[in-house]
Amino acid sequence: VQLVESGGGSVQAGGSLRLSCAASGFNFNVYVMSWFRQAPGKGPEGVAAIDSDGASIYLDSMKGRFIISRDNAKTILYLEMNSLKPEDTAMYYCAAGSLRFCNLARHLYHYFGQGTQVTVS
């Protein structure tokens, strides 16, 4: 199983970034996929999750700013991040879980990527 994130970087407040997570080695089409983040000195936080049919959930503070999507044919997960704030600075990583429904509880997920750094100044 491989989950490889890309698209992170440094951006000014108010800017946008699009993260990608390339998945392989498991049946991507049936897994719930999610994005988590971890800021320095803080615990992991679920950002958004999406099921195989495209239904999604978000952490409240992300609603209206972040959009999670997936391309089942290419087995890629995306996170479009808009109106970025300094408090969004964190390592962002994707995760895959054999779940019936979307969930932002990290312990329910089985596979995790290494992450991509997002810095907002």
Side-chain angles (χ1 to χ4, degrees):
V1 173
Q2 277 198 318
L3 295 171
V4 181
E5 301 91 342
S6 61
S10 296
V11 64
Q12 291 189 336
S16 299
L17 283 173
R18 189 192 196 201
L19 307 183
S20 299
C21 169
S24 61
F26 65 102
N27 192 351
F28 179 88
N29 293 355
V30 302
Y31 272 65
V32 170
M33 299 297 298
S34 65
W35 288 97
F36 290 85
R37 71 182 185 182
Q38 187 161 11
K42 296 186 177 181
E45 179 179 53
V47 173
I50 185 169
D51 70 13
S52 57
D53 293 326
S56 58
I57 60 172
Y58 296 87
L59 190 65
D60 283 348
S61 59
M62 313 303 169
K63 291 180 181 177
R65 298 194 301 126
F66 291 8
I67 301 172
I68 189 171
S69 61
R70 62 192 292 165
D71 186 328
N72 287 339
K74 296 181 179 179
T75 66
I76 299 176
L77 176 72
Y78 301 100
L79 184 68
E80 182 179 340
M81 305 187 296
N82 302 303
S83 302
L84 284 163
K85 306 174 182 179
E87 51 264 43
D88 293 319
T89 294
M91 179 70 76
Y92 286 73
Y93 56 99
C94 61
S98 181
L99 310 176
R100 288 192 63 191
F101 305 106
C102 291
N103 199 299
L104 294 179
R106 189 182 183 281
H107 71 277
L108 297 176
Y109 287 81
H110 303 89
Y111 308 124
F112 298 88
Q114 292 298 308
T116 184
Q117 179 67 38
V118 171
T119 302
V120 185
S121 59

